[in-house]
Amino acid sequence: MNLKKALFCIGVSALLAACGGGDGSSTTPSQSVTQAQPLPSGSTYIATVSFGDTVEVKLDSPSTGYVTISFISSQFGLKDSLTGTYTQDSNTHVYSVSNFSANGSDVPAQLGSGASSVGMTFYITVDGSNNGVLSGQIYNVPNVKAGSGTLAGQLAGSNNGVTTVAGLAGTYSFIKLSGDYTSAGVPTGDQDADTGQIKINADGTFRACPSAPYSDTCTDDEDSSITDTGTITVDADQTDYPGAFDLTLNGVMYGRMFASTANGAVTLMLDQAGTNSDGTYRTGSWVLQTASTLVSGTYNGFYACTEPTLSGDTPTGGVTQRALYINGAQTEDSLALTLAFNTSFNAAASSVVPTPVAISGLMSSTYPGSGSTQSAIMFLPVSASNLYYLDEPNADGYFVMGLCLPGVPA
């Protein structure tokens, strides 16, 4: 592990302005809006995508057997909607969507012509009130802004939420990944990958503890003179972004956040985006889950995991699949991982063999990289079926965000 990590706080203060999933233009959150208007626990989900966009996913739309995904805001020139047909696995209940076609009058030509190659899978966890979390991945999405190439990322979505900032109060474990892109939408390689905990107060103020469990005295993991603090307010546009909140970190508008209250826990999804002072822009996402102590045995079973495919340290827009079997504290796949519960790694540390850090709500492991190095992998479960993770495939400090969904052994 040799993470070339952008400083957590500088990743914010270097931004000229930020607006989650938008075009990087400056926005000032309205302080007069105090009530969020979340979705009514139906078949429509508003979701963040890990490459840094916000989408709407409608199940059985425009009719049974179809899925429509609409690009609400995008850093990559994506507009309007795509509609595809789905199948649902009878054993795992995972949805697979294909045969996408453009749907709308403002679909960019490149998105329309590449629609049939787009793929999407997802899984929905709902409780007795039909409050749900949608976890999935979408890939081979044309990068309209760049004019060539494709994008791949994980989805985190909600069909419900809370109405006030006070409803977000609590301590959360998180996983986050963002990266810099040129003004043409091409990744530059600079990243900010991290896990940790954050505490949100009833008045919307919060303190984040990167690479560490929450404490009232935690500081930034690379500069102990800095604290990562901010404020959450209700987003002014509840029509386009139902249930959304705006998050300001270290004095800068940082992203747009959504909530789900499914199954007695709160899951938060943050769409991060902004323009850097050098003309590049940073985009990415966070997933946060009510902090809890993970118990060995809770996640026993087989998972089908998917992460963006790399060529060196450059995403190709496709996805790589990996089988994962968890049985107690042991994880068995082709890499023969050993899983440590309630631990993660210090992303700011540069070490051939990373040292675990005790953080409840997370799981971590290593596997052999090149030479004597070890690749790090860190998991954030948002249910017994949905595990988001950060993976360092090449053991060189470059991370991708992945997702594990229920699977069936071959």
Side-chain angles (χ1 to χ4, degrees):
M1 180 181 181
N2 184 22
L3 181 54
K4 299 167 286 189
K5 176 182 176 289
L7 184 62
F8 185 92
C9 60
I10 290 180
V12 180
S13 62
L15 300 179
L16 294 176
C19 176
D23 59 5
S25 59
S26 177
T27 62
T28 302
S30 171
Q31 301 303 310
S32 63
V33 180
T34 59
Q35 292 282 326
Q37 300 173 29
L39 293 166
S41 302
S43 57
T44 296
Y45 288 76
I46 190 159
T48 59
V49 191
S50 60
F51 51 71
D53 285 0
T54 299
V55 300
E56 178 189 73
V57 179
K58 288 187 175 181
L59 183 62
D60 290 321
S61 176
S63 59
T64 301
Y66 289 86
V67 167
T68 295
I69 180 168
S70 301
F71 300 97
I72 306 302
S73 59
S74 174
Q75 288 274 21
F76 299 94
L78 305 172
K79 295 180 180 180
D80 240 328
S81 303
L82 299 177
T83 296
T85 56
Y86 73 77
T87 58
Q88 188 177 22
D89 188 278
S90 60
N91 294 310
T92 65
H93 305 293
V94 172
Y95 293 85
S96 297
V97 191
S98 58
N99 302 314
F100 277 105
S101 60
N103 181 8
S105 60
D106 200 26
V107 176
Q110 186 179 347
L111 179 60
S113 63
S116 61
S117 297
V118 175
M120 179 180 174
T121 59
F122 62 90
Y123 182 85
I124 296 175
T125 303
V126 296
D127 61 18
S129 300
N130 203 41
N131 292 337
V133 175
L134 181 150
S135 298
Q137 50 267 314
I138 187 168
Y139 50 94
N140 293 334
V141 180
N143 187 337
V144 175
K145 188 170 188 176
S148 63
T150 56
L151 304 162
Q154 277 61 52
L155 301 165
S158 171
N159 71 345
N160 66 100
V162 300
T163 58
T164 64
V165 170
L168 304 173
T171 301
Y172 299 83
S173 302
F174 69 78
I175 189 169
K176 68 181 295 285
L177 179 66
S178 63
D180 282 348
Y181 290 77
T182 68
S183 58
V186 178
T188 66
D190 187 30
Q191 287 187 306
D192 183 4
D194 223 331
T195 61
Q197 289 189 333
I198 182 174
K199 182 179 180 181
I200 301 173
N201 301 310
D203 64 356
T205 59
F206 69 87
R207 186 187 194 110
C209 300
S211 297
Y214 179 78
S215 76
D216 290 337
T217 58
C218 74
T219 58
D220 190 86
D221 51 349
E222 286 200 347
D223 187 343
S224 60
S225 68
I226 297 172
T227 57
D228 294 306
T229 58
T231 305
I232 298 171
T233 57
V234 177
D235 189 275
D237 186 354
Q238 293 293 310
T239 300
D240 292 328
Y241 306 98
F245 297 85
D246 294 325
L247 186 146
T248 299
L249 180 60
N250 292 333
V252 176
M253 174 62 180
Y254 192 75
R256 186 177 284 116
M257 186 168 66
F258 305 92
S260 172
T261 61
N263 298 301
V266 179
T267 305
L268 303 178
M269 312 96 179
L270 176 70
D271 176 7
Q272 175 190 344
T275 304
N276 297 317
S277 57
D278 63 358
T280 63
Y281 63 94
R282 180 173 289 270
T283 184
S285 68
W286 298 40
V287 181
L288 308 93
Q289 182 74 2
T290 299
S292 63
T293 301
L294 304 182
V295 178
S296 177
T298 303
Y299 304 96
N300 287 2
F302 187 86
Y303 295 85
C305 305
T306 307
E307 63 187 48
T309 302
L310 298 179
S311 175
D313 284 342
T314 302
T316 66
V319 290
T320 297
Q321 296 186 344
R322 172 180 295 169
L324 189 69
Y325 181 71
I326 299 176
N327 183 5
Q330 298 296 317
T331 302
E332 297 177 2
D333 66 357
S334 60
L335 300 172
L337 304 180
T338 299
L339 200 62
F341 286 77
N342 302 298
T343 71
S344 189
F345 297 111
N346 185 336
S350 178
S351 175
V352 172
V353 180
T355 302
V357 178
I359 306 176
S360 63
L362 296 163
M363 305 183 293
S364 63
S365 188
T366 61
Y367 57 92
S370 59
S372 59
T373 61
Q374 292 284 311
S375 288
I377 188 166
M378 298 160 276
F379 296 88
L380 173 72
V382 299
S383 75
S385 306
N386 306 9
L387 315 176
Y388 290 88
Y389 67 90
L390 293 178
D391 185 24
E392 184 194 20
N394 299 324
D396 62 355
Y398 191 89
F399 277 78
V400 294
M401 183 178 284
L403 173 67
C404 296
L405 299 177
V408 176

